[in-house]
Amino acid sequence: MNKPVKVIDLFAGPGGLGEGFSACRANGKQAFKIAISIEKEESAHRTLLLRAFFRQFEHKDVPEEYYAFLRGELGKHPEDELYKIPKLAKPLEEARKEAQQLTLGEDNNIIHEKIREAIGGDECILIGGPPCQAYSLVGRSRNYGAKDKAYSAAEDHRNFLYLEYLKIIAKFQPMVFVMENVKGMLSAKVEGKFIFEAIHNDLQEPDKYSKTKPEPGREKHQYRIYSFVERSGKVDLFDDQPLDSRDFIIRMENYGLPQARHRVILLGIREDIDSSAGNFSRLQHVEDKPTVRQVTADLPRLRSCLSKGGDSVAAWRETITNTGNNIAKNLGCDSMVPDKIYSDFVRQLNRIMNSPTCTGSDKGLERNKKYSKGIPTKLHDWYRDERLGEHVINHESRGHIANDLVRYLYYSTYAKNMKASPNSAKLPKALWPAHKNFGSGKFADRFRVQIADNQGTTVTCHISKDGHYFIHYDPIQCRSLTVREAARIQTFPDNYYFVGNRTQQYVQVGNAVPPYLAIQLAYIIAKIVT
């Protein structure tokens, strides 16, 4: 291999999939280079651009100004000062060529021209996944439950965004493509037919359904569709028998990630590329299964913030102890509260009441952010960047109302003792939110703790809403996960900065493909195309 294989990254989000491919090395050399990445959402594109800028340098050659920005010394946004530094103009120009803010389906002519310029006549691969809202179980439930109009899957353009992906395959004939989506894609239907079956068939002959001809100089090909995971108890991996759709589900907790994230990922290999058994391996299960505690415990402890009434350490302590002590009176005589949960709940309240600082500054955030305990060796090397020093980015606690703070305290105390997160049926009525249907069973998991010594639950963009589903396991912190903690569970390196306001940062992290999975996929593909 003389030079890295060029990568087209569609629906790139903040760049999780591209990050893994960019980090892949074959025989000590970079295996892939992101030639162009396409993302329409502004804040995600700004993150994508900043990472593209970072990748213009070998790691040891990343300018000190980048780290000064991460430390907050150049302003709050990279556009403030970092991008204005004259000596960085050239790498910034190259990064702007790579990271494009465009919309598939609306800006196709521009996108096709940009791809043409980026890859020239070279071979390439394609990665990415169409937005998943229309396929997800939650999204479909929301769509069908809409009161203002009857939902029609056949008229939902999001169900057919994969067609734009298909057009790029047909037009530029990549050697390999990787298409990612939610597990709900397997059960989604349009006009009574499973959409996955149609997608699977269309991807094998991309020109046929997309009605798109290859670029001049590129031959038309068909594709073979594979799974990245082994088929348990079935026939030989490389025979011609069709896969069950469920065989495309990657359960990421099996591959060294600290998260039980399940996604459908398809591997397409062009018919003229050798994909024989000797040149193609699947993802390999690993024994090491890092936990939430292992990948977050070294981050600085933070208290939660108050969203109402003014925030300070004193106000925070007073709010929790007053509200908590009132609720503790009810918990003490509630037969459904185990004695050890009650006693530990009271103990945690006393810790908060008597702690001199409760891990927070007067504004609720530690300004002197220091790493503490270690994490597993493999992920330690993946996450940490010595040039960051002790500084931690995107790690600020959000504000919560008083009653939620105490709910979080109870939930995390329960999980600490019972090694499980209680559902609504196990939540004492003294802690029920003022929601008339909370006891109906429909909100059984409205609140959920990330269990310290298990893999995390799937980080989704819903974390941007309220954090109830992503409660930190440490009772005294009384809060939901920070952006950095969510990014750790999603396996983003610590020097990966998410641009935008906090809500936008959470959405970016929740929508991303975990980079540590992406690099494993990249190694598999490198064996095929290099």
Side-chain angles (χ1 to χ4, degrees):
M1 180 181 66
N2 295 322
K3 56 183 180 180
V5 176
K6 292 182 176 178
V7 178
I8 303 168
D9 188 3
L10 300 184
F11 308 105
L17 196 52
E19 178 70 11
F21 276 79
S22 297
C24 177
R25 297 291 184 269
N27 300 318
K29 297 181 179 179
Q30 185 179 11
F32 301 100
K33 178 180 182 356
I34 307 298
I36 185 169
S37 52
I38 309 293
E39 171 56 37
K40 71 173 185 176
E41 201 278 320
E42 180 186 7
S43 63
H45 171 259
R46 290 170 61 201
T47 297
L48 198 63
L49 175 62
L50 182 62
R51 199 61 180 180
F53 170 80
F54 176 86
R55 284 198 292 260
Q56 301 307 309
F57 309 91
E58 289 291 332
H59 187 259
K60 66 181 185 308
D61 297 325
V62 176
E64 176 56 28
E65 288 84 354
Y66 177 79
Y67 291 94
F69 160 70
L70 295 185
R71 293 191 296 269
E73 297 167 6
L74 299 183
K76 296 182 179 179
H77 310 295
E79 300 89 341
D80 290 344
E81 297 297 337
L82 179 64
Y83 291 165
K84 297 176 183 178
I85 298 173
K87 71 175 184 178
L88 302 180
K90 182 61 177 177
L92 177 59
E93 179 185 351
E94 294 302 313
R96 291 192 191 282
K97 291 178 183 178
E98 176 185 319
Q100 297 284 331
Q101 187 181 2
L102 296 164
T103 303
L104 271 294
E106 296 179 13
D107 302 320
N108 282 6
N109 289 339
I110 299 174
I111 289 171
H112 296 165
E113 181 57 35
K114 294 289 185 182
I115 293 175
R116 247 179 246 115
E117 294 173 1
I119 67 173
D122 296 337
E123 291 276 26
C124 65
I125 69 168
L126 174 65
I127 63 176
C132 61
Q133 295 96 324
Y135 301 141
S136 72
L137 298 179
V138 173
R140 281 149 54 191
S141 176
R142 187 181 300 117
N143 291 332
Y144 285 110
K147 297 179 180 179
D148 56 339
K149 63 177 181 178
Y151 173 72
S152 170
E155 296 177 4
D156 190 335
H157 74 284
R158 297 173 301 175
N159 278 326
F160 300 98
L161 281 172
Y162 90 93
L163 176 58
E164 305 303 331
Y165 190 92
L166 203 64
K167 289 176 182 177
I168 300 298
I169 299 174
K171 197 168 189 64
F172 295 99
Q173 298 289 309
M175 292 185 288
V176 166
F177 65 79
V178 177
M179 182 175 172
E180 181 264 354
N181 220 293
V182 293
K183 190 167 65 172
M185 178 189 194
L186 301 181
S187 57
K189 291 183 178 181
V190 174
E191 296 181 340
K193 297 181 180 179
F194 286 107
I195 196 168
F196 178 80
E197 294 179 9
I199 290 174
H200 185 275
N201 292 335
D202 295 338
L203 289 170
Q204 296 179 67
E205 298 183 84
D207 63 302
K208 185 175 179 181
Y209 181 71
S210 69
K211 298 179 173 58
T212 303
K213 294 181 179 180
E215 284 278 289
R218 296 184 184 272
E219 295 182 19
K220 182 178 75 173
H221 291 282
Q222 294 183 1
Y223 288 80
R224 298 184 296 270
I225 311 301
Y226 294 100
S227 169
F228 278 103
V229 295
E230 294 186 357
R231 303 166 66 189
S232 176
K234 297 193 177 182
V235 292
D236 187 85
L237 292 172
F238 299 94
D239 68 14
D240 293 327
Q241 294 191 27
L243 286 169
D244 186 298
S245 62
R246 291 168 294 181
D247 289 324
F248 289 93
I249 299 172
I250 295 181
R251 294 170 171 82
M252 299 184 196
E253 66 271 25
N254 293 328
Y255 305 105
L257 278 78
Q259 179 181 191
R261 188 182 190 90
H262 299 168
R263 287 292 185 265
V264 172
I265 304 184
L266 292 81
L267 168 63
I269 303 178
R270 206 170 64 198
E271 60 183 351
D272 63 321
I273 303 296
D274 180 16
S275 60
S276 60
N279 195 40
F280 181 22
S281 61
R282 261 48 177 205
L283 286 169
Q284 299 298 308
H285 281 220
V286 297
E287 295 297 325
D288 181 28
K289 294 188 176 182
T291 66
V292 173
R293 189 199 305 271
Q294 287 173 318
V295 301
T296 62
D298 67 318
L299 296 173
R301 301 175 76 200
L302 305 173
R303 70 169 178 85
S304 51
C305 295
L306 296 175
S307 60
K308 295 182 179 181
D311 182 67
S312 68
V313 172
W316 175 80
R317 182 187 294 114
E318 182 180 5
T319 298
I320 293 178
T321 53
N322 287 348
T323 307
N325 284 329
N326 287 333
I327 288 178
K329 295 174 184 178
N330 294 315
L331 298 183
C333 56
D334 192 324
S335 60
M336 72 178 299
V337 179
D339 289 343
K340 66 177 179 178
I341 304 298
Y342 172 72
S343 60
D344 198 16
F345 179 83
V346 172
R347 186 175 73 86
Q348 300 298 341
L349 273 176
N350 288 331
R351 286 181 68 198
I352 291 172
M353 185 185 307
N354 298 317
S355 172
T357 61
C358 285
T359 74
S361 74
D362 195 50
K363 292 186 178 179
L365 310 176
E366 281 195 359
R367 297 304 180 189
N368 183 24
K369 297 179 177 180
K370 294 183 179 181
Y371 291 98
S372 53
K373 298 178 182 178
I375 50 183
T377 302
K378 282 186 179 179
L379 287 178
H380 181 278
D381 294 341
W382 175 259
Y383 288 132
R384 296 284 285 271
D385 180 348
E386 292 183 359
R387 292 186 63 186
L388 270 174
E390 295 181 336
H391 193 80
V392 184
I393 60 177
N394 297 126
H395 186 54
E396 292 84 29
S397 56
R398 72 207 302 178
H400 301 291
I401 64 174
N403 286 339
D404 280 343
L405 291 176
V406 178
R407 288 189 192 100
Y408 290 2
L409 176 59
Y410 182 85
Y411 268 85
S412 53
T413 301
Y414 185 102
K416 172 174 168 281
N417 287 274
M418 308 299 285
K419 311 304 180 186
S421 185
N423 58 28
S424 60
K426 295 180 179 179
L427 185 67
K429 287 192 175 182
L431 287 167
W432 280 22
H435 192 303
K436 62 180 181 180
N437 294 321
F438 184 76
S440 66
K442 294 180 180 180
F443 301 93
D445 289 323
R446 177 171 172 75
F447 297 88
R448 175 175 284 188
V449 185
Q450 297 299 303
I451 308 302
D453 296 318
N454 286 352
Q455 286 71 50
T457 56
T458 304
V459 177
T460 67
C461 63
H462 186 77
I463 194 173
S464 67
K465 301 295 184 184
D466 50 35
H468 294 339
Y469 203 73
F470 302 93
I471 301 170
H472 195 284
Y473 57 84
D474 181 8
I476 200 171
Q477 298 186 54
C478 293
R479 61 176 177 82
S480 57
L481 299 180
T482 67
V483 172
R484 180 50 50 191
E485 288 162 341
R488 277 284 187 89
I489 294 172
Q490 280 279 62
T491 67
F492 277 92
D494 286 355
N495 59 22
Y496 207 113
Y497 185 85
F498 295 91
V499 185
N501 62 41
R502 191 184 304 154
T503 296
Q504 292 167 333
Q505 293 168 10
Y506 277 122
V507 170
Q508 291 172 46
V509 174
N511 281 337
V513 176
Y516 195 67
L517 175 75
I519 193 173
Q520 296 179 62
L521 305 183
Y523 278 123
I524 290 172
I525 293 172
K527 292 179 181 179
I528 300 171
V529 301
T530 61

